[in-house]
Structures are given as structure tokens and as C-alpha cells.
Amino acid sequence: MLKHLYIKNFTLIDTLDIELHPGFSVMTGETGAGKSIILGAIGLLLGQRADSKSIMQGAEKCTIEAHFDLSRYDMESFFNENDIEYDAEDCIIRRELTAAGKSRAFINDTPVQLSMLKELGERLVDVHSQHQNLLLNKQDFQLNVVDIIANDAKELAQYRQTYADYQAVTKTLEALREDIERNRQNADFLQFQYNELSAANLKDGEQEELEQQSDTMTHAEDIKSALYTADNALQAEGTGIVESLRTAISALKGISHVFPQTNELTERMDSTFIELKDIAQEIGGQLEKVDFDPAELDAVNNRLDRLYDLQKKYHANSIDELISQRDELKKKLCNIENIDEALAEMQQKVDELKARCEKEAQSLTKLRTKAAKQIEQEMQQRLIPLGMPNVRFQISMNQEALGKNGQDKASFLFSANASTPLQPVSQVASGGEIARVMLSLKAMISGAVKLPTIIFDEIDTGVSGKIAEKMAEIMQEMGAHERQVISITHLPQIAALGTTHYRVSKEETKQGTTSHMTELSPDERITEIAQMLSGSDVSEAAIQNAKQLLRL
């Protein structure tokens, strides 16, 4: 539950630092005093989007901080999963806004994303404002109420997973069918492309080898001339380097016995001679191989032209890419041939998942149908004491196509009079009747979902007198079961039944208008309720009436 609220520099609130208590509390004050501002601050703590205009004029930063006691609500798993320190008796949520437009959020002094703050906030506080009555128009809200009472969260989560799998496989099947249709329409063209690439007898590395052959054959005369010149320089009779080196070696060996200093030179020349002789033989061999054949060159160039044309036609940069395209075409053609089998296999998966969805949806329907009867009975019991003795409340459960929530469509039907036919509650209920319906729903839901704090913002719209007192008793009952209920009200009948009473007021200062929230003492409470009964001029009769309402 919310046990402490601190607000600094938020709109008209300079500083608000107040303790809150368990049970049923009420908040009163004139219109425009700042009650909605306090709710707005709490909304920011619950993850609502921030606006730098909310910062008090002249301030650089706004801070909103709340302390919660979570010791009775089993929320430790949330903190462990998000790696946040857990303190069951003092969970601190803080939101900071700057005039520059920056916003920061903290849970127990750990910086968190706004989405995480919102996730925790939804488990801590439920703020029911007048616009929430519009939820009665929405099918999702009505089905959600049934699901809460049915306690089917586990079954619903399982169904949603199965339904997600079913949707994914269905999309895959549709994509496969579209792909097949496209391929079938292009089957002849695909076959032509495959035949063309297959007939080309493509081989890895062929293009590089052919390009080298073409280059060699094109320059055959230059190559042969250069090889001949080199061969002649090395091996020409009488003038060749090899023969001259042999002569030099022989001369030095002839004087080695009288001039041993030449021995090392002779050895070096011997090594050079062997190398040069080997080079000369290699050049001679290459010279014999080089030949120019115009027909062979044409054949090589024609093959290269064919390869280049195919690459250009198929937007490929290499033979490897052409081979990959050829193999992919073969795969597509095989798929077309074997498509019936693939389609049948995928369709079987779709059918199996659809059957599972329908089975799990039927289980949900059974749970919901049972819960709907329970809701009808309980709502009848709750609404009759609220001034509707002939009320009828019924939930119409209809089947529709499979969706994310199953096959059920829930519709709340309502009639306040015996002679009026049942119709959708949002279409026939008055403002006061809708307020009573929503309060009854909230009271019922709060018994199934342990929300620590529930705030009602003028839930009493359109009611007065005894009915208001009965509504207060419902909120009082809600606050007695390990919950904290806070009602913002303009009705003295409701204000009188609160265990704790807070007043919101505004004050004109030199710095401007500021709002304040204070906890009233017993005497202050009498005066406040008397003013709610009679206005600013409090009469003795109003004082006595206030005491009667307070049961003093």
C-alpha cells in the first residue's frame, strides 16, 4: 500500500510531504483546489508520459516520490527478475523531471526504463477516474473482467502462445503458396535459364585459366622473340655466356696448383655455371612450347566471350556466382515438382495448431461461462442495495473467430427497471448507474486481484444521499481486506465514512497560487463535512448533521 507521498515543484504544489494510511481514506476539497494535480503526480509515478510544463514555474527540477509497503503482496519475483533490490516494507518509487525536458525514473534508487516503472505501477495502484467509465464500451475490458474472475491467466497464456504459433505457421504457409504461384508462372523461364547455365558446363577457375591462355597466345611473337634472344645470349656457340663461363673456369683450374687463391673463385663460378646452364635449358624448353595457333586463340576467346555474356545477362561477377544461380534454379525447379508434398506437410502443421487452438479456446470458454454466471449473481447482489431493486445484469457470451483472446466475445447487458429489456450497459445506463456498476465491478475484481492501492476519482458522480452512503460502505469494505482505498469525493455521505480524511486546498501567496494537502483532525473533519453540507457559512445545524454522518 501507499504509505508516504512526497511532491516537490509539481504544477501548483510547492512541497507536499504526507503520510497515508491503510483502510478507507477520503480526499475532499473545492473544485480547482489541486486534487487532480495530486492524481497527475501519482500518474507520473505509475509510468505516464511527462511534460516539462508540469514543473512549477521558476523551478529547475520536479521530484515525485512514493513509499510502498509490499509485505503482504508477494512481489519479490518482479524485483529479482529485474535485478532490483527488494525491500518489502519500504519500496521507493521516484520520478524526476527537469525544465530542460529530461525525465528519470528510479525503483529503490535503481534507474529504470519508463516501461518497467509502468509494469510495477500497474501492480501497485489502480486509479479509477471518470473517463474509465468509458471502458464499459470496450469488449476487451468486459472479457478481461470475466478472465479475472475465472482466474484463467495460466490457461490464457498457454492459449496465446499456441495462437501465436498458429499465426506464424499460417503466414509461412501463405508465403509458400505465393512463392509457389510465382515460380509456377515462371516455370518455363526458370527451366530455360537452368538449361542455358547447365549447357555452359561451368567450371571453377576456368575463366582465369582461359584469360591467361588468351593473353599468352596474343603476345606469342613477342614472347618467342624475347626467349630466343635470352637463349642465344646464354648458349650461342662461341659467344654464349655458358660457354664463356666454362672457359673461364677451366683457365682458373689450370693454375690452382700454383695459385690456390683461385680455388674459392672457381667454386663460386662452378655454382653459377650450374645455375646458368639450368636456366638456359629451361628457356630452351619454353621456346619450343611457345607457338601461335590462330584457331586455338579464336576458340579460347569465343569461350571467354560466352562466359562474359552469361555474367552480364545474369548480373554475376564471377563463374562461382553463375554456378550458384544455376544450383538455385535447380532447387526451385525441384520444389515445383515436389510442391504438393511440401504444401501438404505445411497444411498439416497449420491444421494441428488450429485444432490445438480450438481445444484450448473451448477450455477457456468453459471457465469463462462459469465465471460469467458468478459475476451475474454477485453484481445483482451488489447493485440492488445501491438503489436499483429491479436491476438485471447479464453477460452475453458469444462465439467468434479465433483471436488473441480465444473465441469468446463478452457483452455486459443491463436493465435498471423490470419493464426495460436488457441492452448493452454503456447504451442504457445513466451516469449515476454506470458509476454504481463500475464501483461494483471494481469491488468484485479487487477480491480476485490483490491490488495494494485503489484510488477512486469522483466515482460518486450522479448519486447522492443513501446511495452515496451505500457506495461508501462498499469502499469501506474494500479497504478492510488488506487494501488501501482512497476516494476523492464531493459528497459528505462518502467523506464521513473514511477512516482518514485529507483536505486539498489552495492558497494565494506572493509567489503565486499553491496547493496543499493536509490530514484533518477530528474537529477539523467535522467542520469540513459541515461546509460540504451547507457551504462556507457553517451553521449549527450543519455541525450537528456532520456529527451524525460521522456517527459521533
Side-chain angles (χ1 to χ4, degrees), residues 39 91 147 151 244 274 461:
L39 278 184
C91 171
D147 282 329
N151 193 25
S244 298
I274 293 170
T461 300

Side-chain angles (χ1 to χ4, degrees), residues 249-320:
I249 291 170
S250 179
L252 290 178
K253 284 183 177 180
I255 63 171
S256 62
H257 63 287
V258 294
F259 195 61
Q261 290 89 333
T262 62
N263 289 338
E264 183 181 352
L265 294 172
T266 302
E267 290 176 2
R268 291 167 62 188
M269 291 171 71
D270 274 335
S271 177
T272 302
F273 175 76
I274 293 170
E275 180 67 17
L276 282 173
K277 187 176 180 181
D278 185 61
I279 290 171
Q281 290 175 347
E282 181 70 23
I283 289 174
Q286 293 290 341
L287 184 59
E288 292 178 2
K289 291 179 181 178
V290 175
D291 196 11
F292 176 70
D293 184 348
E296 185 179 354
L297 178 60
D298 286 343
V300 169
N301 286 335
N302 288 339
R303 177 61 175 170
L304 281 171
D305 289 342
R306 176 63 175 155
L307 295 178
Y308 294 150
D309 288 344
L310 287 173
Q311 290 176 51
K312 183 177 180 181
K313 182 176 182 179
Y314 289 94
H315 307 287
N317 296 315
S318 66
I319 298 294
D320 286 346

Side-chain angles (χ1 to χ4, degrees), residues 38-51:
I38 295 172
L39 278 184
I42 293 174
L44 290 179
L45 283 176
L46 304 182
Q48 292 180 5
R49 293 289 174 184
D51 186 346

